[in-house]
Amino acid sequence: MSKSTNFRPELQQQSSINEELDKIEKFFQQLQRPKNLNEIRNRTEKFCQENSDRKIVLITSGGTTVPMEHNTVRFIDNFSAGTRGSASAEYFFDTNQYAIIFLYRHKSLEPFARHFDGLFSNLKYDPNNDRIEVSETIRPKLIQTLTKMKESSNRLLKITFTTLSEYLFILREMTALLRQYGSRVMLYLAAAVSDFYIPPDNMAIHKIHSNGPLRLHFEMVPKILRPLVKFWVPDAFVISFKLETDADILLEKAREALNRYGHKLVIANELNTRKWKVILVTANESELINIDRNSDNPIEIEKLIVTNVVQRHEKFIKNLL
Amino acid sequence: MSKSTNFRPELQQQSSINEELDKIEKFFQQLQRPKNLNEIRNRTEKFCQENSDRKIVLITSGGTTVPMEHNTVRFIDNFSAGTRGSASAEYFFDTNQYAIIFLYRHKSLEPFARHFDGLFSNLKYDPNNDRIEVSETIRPKLIQTLTKMKESSNRLLKITFTTLSEYLFILREMTALLRQYGSRVMLYLAAAVSDFYIPPDNMAIHKIHSNGPLRLHFEMVPKILRPLVKFWVPDAFVISFKLETDADILLEKAREALNRYGHKLVIANELNTRKWKVILVTANESELINIDRNSDNPIEIEKLIVTNVVQRHEKFIKNLL
C-alpha cells in the first residue's frame, strides 16, 4: 500500500515532466530555426575547446523581439539597453578566470565598445600629416581598452540574436554544448526575454491595417528555465534575473522563480533602482548589494555582482567535486 | 436655395475640421510633453536662422515605440533601421542646397556614421609610437567622410526621439517653426510611425504579469498628417512614405493617403524590395524608380530618390512664387 502511495506521485511527476518537455518541444517546432544555428554551434564549440583551461560563463543580454506579423513590420520588444550584461562581461573578463560567451541582442551594448558610443564624432582627420586623430576626452580610456582587448580577444565570443525564437534556439543549442563542462559552467541570464508571443498560426501574414482599433492576443512562452536547469545543463551554476517595477512583489517573485525552476540564484532588481541596488536571492537567504550613487567616483554595481557570483560559483564547484 | 446648398457643405466641412482638430488636440493632451522640447525648439530655431540662405529639409527616420506599461518594460516597435532616412540625409547634404534637420530614433542609423558601424573593432593601438590606427579596410572612406563633415557640419542638425509621443510633439513643434519658411521647406517623412497606441488611461501601471495569456487593446493614432499639411505647414512640400508587405494594395494605399491628407507626394515601397524599387505617387501620375541590384557597383536607391524629389521641390517652389 505504501509502495503504491510512493509510486503514484513519482508516476505523476514523471508524466508531468514528460508533458512539460512535450510542450516545450511543440513550442520549438512551431518556431523557425535560425539559419545560422549550425554556424553558431561550430563557433561556440571551437571557442570552448580553445578555452579548455578556464571556467565558462554564458552571459545573455538585451531584449528579445516578438513579431506581430509574418512579414514583420511591427513587433513587441522588451526594454533593455544591455547595460547589465555588457558591463558584467567586462568584469568577468577582468577576473582572468573565465571564457565569456556573450549572447546579446543585435545593436544592444557590447562589452568595451559600450564606452565609445559617440566614437565617430570623436574622430578628426588632419590632412597635414594624413592622420586620423581621436579627441583627448576619450583617448586615454580608448588606449587602455584597446590594449586590454588585444591581449585577450580569444576569451570573448560574441553572438547576436534579435527575435525571441532566435534567442531560445541559440540558448538551447549552447546549453547542449556546455553540458559536458559540468559545474565549470555558469549561466548568467541577464537578457530581458519576452513572456508572451503570438503563435505563428494566429499571426497576420501582412502588415496589420490601421483602419480600426487593434486587439491582440498573446500566448505565454513556456518557461524554458525549468528544462534548462533540469535537463539541458543539470550541473551548471545557473543565475537568472528578475526585473519588476513594483518593489513590493520583487522578493516574492524571485523566490517563486527559485521554487519553480530549481536553480541556484535569482538576482532581483527594480526598474528604477537597478543601477545601484540588487538583491541576490537563494532558497535560504538574500543578500543586498548596493553602491553609493552619490559618490564622486562611483563604481558600477556589476563589478560587485560579478565578484559575488564568482565566489558563489567557486563554492558551488567545490561542493560538487 | 443654391446658396444654402453651397453653404451647408462648407459648414459641414468646417465643423468636421474643428472636430478633427479637437480630436488631435485631445490626443496630444493625454500624452506626456517631452521635457527637452523647449531645448529642441531653441536649437532648431537657431539652426534655421544660421541657414537662412538655404532650403530646409526635415527628414524623419527610424521607428517609434509605443509603451505597454507606464513603468515601461515592454513596448511595441516599428521595424526600421533608419537606412532610408540616414542615406537620404547624405544625398541631401551632397546637393549643397539644403540645411538638414534629421529627426531620428535614438540608436537608429545616422548619416555618415552609418558606414562605420564596426568602428571600434577597426581600431588598434600601437604602443611603439603611441598611435591609434584605423584599419586599412575603412580608412579611405573614413577620411573622405570626416573631411566632408568638417567642412559643413553646420548644415546638419540631429535630434532624437524614442516614443511615439516624443516623435509627435517634436514634429509639431518643428513644423510650427518651419511654417515661416513657406515653400522652401520640404518634409521628408521616412520614419515608421506607429498607427496604434494604448491610451495612458488604459495602460497598466506596472510590468504586466505573465501568469496567463495577454489581451491588448490598441486605439488608432489620429492621422496627424492631415492637420500637418493643412494647418501646420500649409506651404511646405510634404512627402510621406507608405510601406506595405503586400504589393497588391500598395498603390491603392498610396493614393488613399494622398486623397486623405492632401499633400504632394507619396513614396510607396514594399518591405522586401524597398532597397531597389520605389514608386513616387502623385495625385495624377506615378513614377517608378529602381536600381540594378545585381550591378557590380550598385548605387543606393536613395541617391535617385533624392535627386528626383529635389527637382520636384524646385518646381513646387517656382509654381508657388
Side-chain angles (χ1 to χ4, degrees), chain A residues 260-279:
Chain A
R260 188 183 293 177
Y261 310 128
H263 59 310
K264 299 299 164 209
L265 182 65
V266 171
I267 302 187
N269 50 161
E270 196 199 327
L271 185 66
N272 293 322
T273 60
R274 70 194 187 284
K275 300 213 179 211
W276 61 87
K277 184 177 153 188
V278 301
I279 307 170

Side-chain angles (χ1 to χ4, degrees), chain A residues 84-103:
Chain A
R84 184 78 86 210
S86 59
S88 299
E90 289 178 24
Y91 296 113
F92 275 107
F93 194 90
D94 287 347
T95 65
N96 268 314
Q97 301 171 33
Y98 284 85
I100 299 151
I101 304 171
F102 187 66
L103 176 58

Side-chain angles (χ1 to χ4, degrees), chain B residues 105-156:
Chain B
R105 163 73 175 275
H106 182 59
K107 299 268 178 192
S108 71
L109 293 175
E110 294 177 35
F112 306 112
R114 74 185 170 111
H115 303 289
F116 309 102
D117 191 28
L119 186 53
F120 177 74
S121 52
N122 276 287
L123 299 182
K124 278 207 177 102
Y125 176 63
D126 183 347
N128 297 322
N129 58 16
D130 189 33
R131 272 200 220 155
I132 295 169
E133 306 283 2
V134 180
S135 80
E136 278 308 313
T137 46
I138 66 164
R139 196 171 190 276
K141 175 106 185 167
L142 187 57
I143 289 174
Q144 186 196 357
T145 307
L146 290 173
T147 308
K148 193 193 274 191
M149 290 300 292
K150 192 180 172 184
E151 284 164 5
S152 17
S153 60
N154 57 341
R155 281 199 285 121
L156 175 61

Side-chain angles (χ1 to χ4, degrees), chain A residues 58-62 85 101-104 161 167 171 188-193:
Chain A
L58 167 60
I59 299 173
T60 69
S61 184
I101 304 171
F102 187 66
L103 176 58
Y104 70 111
F161 64 85
Y167 173 82
L171 182 62
Y188 188 90
L189 304 172
V193 181

Side-chain angles (χ1 to χ4, degrees), chain A residues 284-306:
Chain A
N284 308 314
E285 34 121 59
S286 68
E287 183 177 353
L288 174 72
I289 293 185
N290 56 13
I291 53 163
D292 177 8
R293 60 183 166 132
N294 298 317
S295 152
D296 288 340
N297 195 9
I299 57 165
E300 287 184 310
I301 194 166
E302 287 78 11
K303 183 171 183 162
L304 300 183
I305 297 174
V306 169

